[in-house]
Amino acid sequence: MKSSTKLALAVAAALAVAGCGKKEEAPAPKAAAPAAPAGLTVTIAHAGPLTGSIAHLGKDDENGVALAIQHANDKKITIGGQAVTFKMVSEDDQADPKVGTTVAQKLVDAKVAAVVGHLNSGVTIPASEIYNKAGIPVISGSATNPTLTERGLKNTFRTVGRDDQQGPAIAAYIAGELKGKKVAIIDDKTAYGEGIANEVEKTLKAAKVNIVGRERTTDKETDFKAILTKIKGKNPDVVFHGGMDATGGPLLKQARELGIKAVFAFGDGACTDEMSKLAGAAAEGFACSQAGLPAQAASKEFQDSFKAKYGDIKQYAPYFYDGALAVIEAMKKADSVDPAKFTPVMNTVSFTGATGKVEFDAKGDRKDAEMTIFRMGKDGKIAPVSIVKGGVATPFGAAPAPAAAPAEAKKEEKKAEPKKEEKKADEKKK
């Protein structure tokens, strides 16, 4: 063996001995990353007519709820110590009470946390019975029949006014501004149409206005000439129709074709720009009411966001937006997304939404609801002419604007504060 080989073997043996004598240290365990808080996904449902003759209104409402969900997610809300992601599911009730109850059961089975809907009173009332049995809150941004909140259900709310507020408001306009002495009334036999027509009739009779006729049709009818011919024979100053724009537009057009010259008036179901498309030139000049403030009085934040994403507001989208916000505010207040825990505090929420301050009374009705009277202009668009609150009418331009959202209020205060240069100029003038 050569000397170099002997040396290599000796070094290897030494290293082997050293290796046996030193216990190999295990690498220090890395610090465990903090566990991310488990997030919650909460489903809020919208339900309304997404097909059929008033789908344009149902889609408007759906967009309002979707925008509220988006804005809530942007704020990265935490409830019960967990980050919450809200999502919306939407169901088509076709403005049909029977379909509405089927939809309601489907949403209950899907275990949604709350329902923002429906559009029609005649659909919302039976559907709310199903939600009540399941302990799920329902809040409508358009159902105005008083019965909705007069049954003692603790899960039912609305962000608009009632027909026993809206009916007297449009009736007072008929008797006062339109100087109606002889009025004919039509309704479509639905909970909404009949309900508001009854309120208008009751108020006009109390004001000693002569009701010269009361006719009935349906929400599916397209030919109104038989009842209009009867009304023509009574020669009324004003004709009031309780129904939706899908029937109100053709009815008005056929009335003009028959030579009826009376002014026509409608409730919120037909208080839309859609009327000018359905009735054409015959629509000009009609009067109507909505059970809330006009869309142009909604908060700037809402209007800008809505128009950028969906286009023009058709009617009650701001009220459905606030309905979804009311549900989320209740969850935050209860610190729970469990309907059994947040539904009982719905009556106590108070916040500034797209339509001003939102609060509910013990029945679930919105406190201090305003009504708006509109007239149809030559441009085919309805324009607000007065706001009615507590039975007092104020011209629209003179009515106080709804309270701005806190962030907006701060902006307005900052905007109103005079600049330094302006202060100096004012001091020089003094």
Side-chain angles (χ1 to χ4, degrees), residues 79 137 324-338 341-351:
I79 296 175
L325 290 190
V327 169
I328 293 169
E329 285 296 315
M331 290 177 178
K332 288 162 58 181
K333 190 165 187 175
D335 200 27
S336 173
V337 298
D338 181 353
K341 294 181 179 177
F342 74 79
T343 303
V345 306
M346 284 283 290
N347 288 91
T348 65
V349 299
S350 177
F351 65 97

Side-chain angles (χ1 to χ4, degrees), residues 400-425:
E408 288 189 331
K410 288 178 182 177
K411 288 180 186 175
E412 291 300 321
E413 288 170 9
K414 194 172 182 180
K415 186 178 177 182
E417 190 179 55
K419 295 177 181 177
K420 289 182 179 179
E421 294 76 6
E422 292 173 344
K423 283 183 176 178
K424 289 179 180 178

Side-chain angles (χ1 to χ4, degrees), residues 147-226:
T147 301
L148 180 65
T149 50
E150 289 290 341
R151 296 165 296 157
L153 302 183
K154 299 300 182 185
N155 71 315
T156 306
F157 305 86
R158 64 177 135 211
T159 53
V160 289
R162 301 162 40 128
D163 284 340
D164 50 5
Q165 299 167 310
Q166 183 184 190
I170 187 66
Y173 191 81
I174 290 170
E177 298 299 321
L178 299 183
K179 303 186 185 311
K181 303 297 182 188
K182 296 189 297 179
V183 177
I185 297 175
I186 304 169
D187 75 73
D188 67 359
K189 296 182 183 176
T190 65
Y192 160 69
E194 181 180 4
I196 190 169
N198 288 343
E199 294 295 338
V200 169
E201 182 174 356
K202 184 168 64 177
T203 304
L204 290 175
K205 284 182 174 177
K208 309 298 183 188
V209 174
N210 185 17
I211 306 300
V212 297
R214 175 76 187 249
E215 299 294 338
R216 311 199 74 189
T217 178
T218 74
D219 60 343
K220 305 292 189 301
E221 187 58 75
T222 57
D223 185 350
F224 305 96
K225 290 184 177 175

Side-chain angles (χ1 to χ4, degrees), residues 44 67-69 71-72 75 116 320-332 349 351-354:
I44 295 176
L67 189 61
I69 297 293
H71 285 176
K75 292 178 180 175
V116 186
F320 277 78
Y321 176 91
D322 280 351
L325 290 190
V327 169
I328 293 169
E329 285 296 315
M331 290 177 178
K332 288 162 58 181
V349 299
F351 65 97
T352 300

Side-chain angles (χ1 to χ4, degrees), residues 52-111:
S53 60
I54 57 171
H56 55 289
L57 298 176
K59 191 65 183 173
D60 189 51
D61 301 340
E62 181 191 59
N63 290 340
V65 177
L67 189 61
I69 297 293
Q70 177 195 316
H71 285 176
N73 285 333
D74 289 345
K75 292 178 180 175
K76 302 189 184 306
I77 293 170
T78 298
I79 296 175
Q82 292 184 293
V84 177
T85 299
F86 297 99
K87 74 171 187 178
M88 181 187 79
V89 295
S90 188
E91 292 290 337
D92 179 12
D93 66 22
Q94 302 174 32
D96 185 314
K98 291 182 180 177
V99 177
T101 53
T102 301
V103 162
Q105 190 58 55
K106 182 178 180 180
L107 293 175
V108 167
D109 293 343
K111 301 188 184 306

Side-chain angles (χ1 to χ4, degrees), residues 40 51-52 54 127 129 131 224 264 270 278 292 337 357 376 384 409 416 422:
L40 289 174
T51 57
I54 57 171
E129 301 277 357
Y131 300 131
F224 305 96
F264 273 70
L278 296 166
V337 298
K357 190 174 184 180
M376 173 59 82
E422 292 173 344

Side-chain angles (χ1 to χ4, degrees), residues 138-149:
V138 56
I139 180 166
S140 176
S142 60
T144 52
N145 189 298
T147 301
L148 180 65
T149 50

